[in-house]
Amino acid sequence: MSTTRPATGHERIETNNFLMIVLILLVVAVGGIVEIVPLFFQRSTTEPVPGLKPLDAMQLAGRDVYVREGCYNCHSQMIRTLRAETLRYGHYSMAGEFVYDHPFQWGSKRTGPDLHRVGGKYSNEWHRLHLLNPRDLVPESNMPAYPWLLTTKVDDATIGAHMRGLRTVGVPYSDDEIAKAADGVRGKSELDALIAYLQVLGTAVK
């Protein structure tokens, strides 16, 4: 007569699904804490780089358009320290450039080029034409056109509340900037706002 011996050691973990899940979650949690928590105490990751300013009302409205239209699905905003990337896009991205971003727009896919240093690279008119019909400037582009941005106006009624919300998480907007926010975007198109946002990307680092 044969008897089945109870599983012990590593075999016990491999044959018990619940125990395996618990231990995996524990390892991931500890690893995450060890990796992430120290970053909150490093000045290089929590202090803005010199020259960094919060987005003004127009730029912030443009960022909202950028997020709404899902631009981050095809464009990253994170230049790695690899030589090939810095030669193509410019200075590598630094943590202190993103301290006012909520949420970050780093992205993880590059169907289109990285946009972190696109600010000032092209004229406003270039961006206007490119957003209205990318193939007018880049014939091989598979980027969709965004003609409705030209006729859709920025919502000036909510921009002040948005800035107040961001102030609660650490973006240093003044009462005066919030009070003038609606006037700064009133009558402007979402196309104008998106261009304003693109033109400021990465400009804090020369």
Side-chain angles (χ1 to χ4, degrees):
M1 185 175 73
S2 62
T3 58
T4 303
R5 66 178 180 81
T8 59
H10 201 274
E11 183 182 358
R12 182 185 178 192
I13 297 174
E14 290 180 336
T15 56
N16 187 321
N17 290 339
F18 178 76
L19 181 59
M20 175 71 85
I21 291 172
V22 169
L23 291 176
I24 288 174
L25 291 176
L26 179 63
V27 169
V28 170
V30 171
I33 291 172
V34 170
E35 289 283 337
I36 296 171
V37 170
L39 297 177
F40 289 97
F41 301 96
Q42 293 180 10
R43 293 181 62 86
S44 64
T45 61
T46 59
E47 296 292 326
V49 296
L52 182 69
K53 298 178 180 178
L55 299 176
D56 65 24
M58 270 291 281
Q59 294 159 357
L60 182 61
R63 187 179 191 275
D64 289 343
V65 175
Y66 184 96
V67 173
R68 186 194 70 201
E69 299 297 341
C71 301
Y72 54 84
N73 287 313
C74 293
H75 295 282
S76 60
Q77 288 188 30
M78 175 58 69
I79 304 168
R80 296 173 294 181
T81 55
L82 302 175
R83 180 171 173 79
E85 295 212 3
T86 57
L87 286 175
R88 180 178 182 184
Y89 298 120
H91 195 286
Y92 58 84
S93 302
M94 296 184 291
E97 296 181 81
F98 301 101
V99 295
Y100 300 146
D101 278 8
H102 300 279
F104 303 125
Q105 296 301 303
W106 292 337
S108 60
K109 194 172 185 297
R110 286 181 182 166
T111 301
D114 185 274
L115 297 179
H116 189 215
R117 301 282 179 225
V118 76
K121 187 174 182 180
Y122 304 102
S123 67
N124 288 351
E125 185 61 20
W126 188 96
H127 282 294
R128 183 179 300 276
L129 294 173
H130 187 247
L131 289 165
L132 293 176
N133 186 15
R135 278 149 296 284
D136 284 346
L137 297 176
V138 186
E140 68 275 14
S141 175
N142 62 357
M143 175 177 159
Y146 296 89
W148 59 88
L149 299 182
L150 182 62
T151 55
T152 307
K153 300 299 182 184
V154 174
D155 184 2
D156 58 54
T158 60
I159 191 68
H162 189 176
M163 293 172 79
R164 279 193 296 274
L166 288 172
R167 185 164 66 177
T168 65
V169 293
V171 182
Y173 287 119
S174 67
D175 290 335
D176 186 58
E177 287 173 320
I178 294 173
K180 294 178 178 177
D183 292 335
V185 301
R186 185 169 294 120
K188 302 294 185 180
S189 71
E190 290 189 339
L191 183 65
D192 293 329
L194 180 53
I195 292 172
Y197 173 63
L198 293 172
Q199 291 289 39
V200 77
L201 287 178
T203 56
V205 173
K206 304 301 181 183

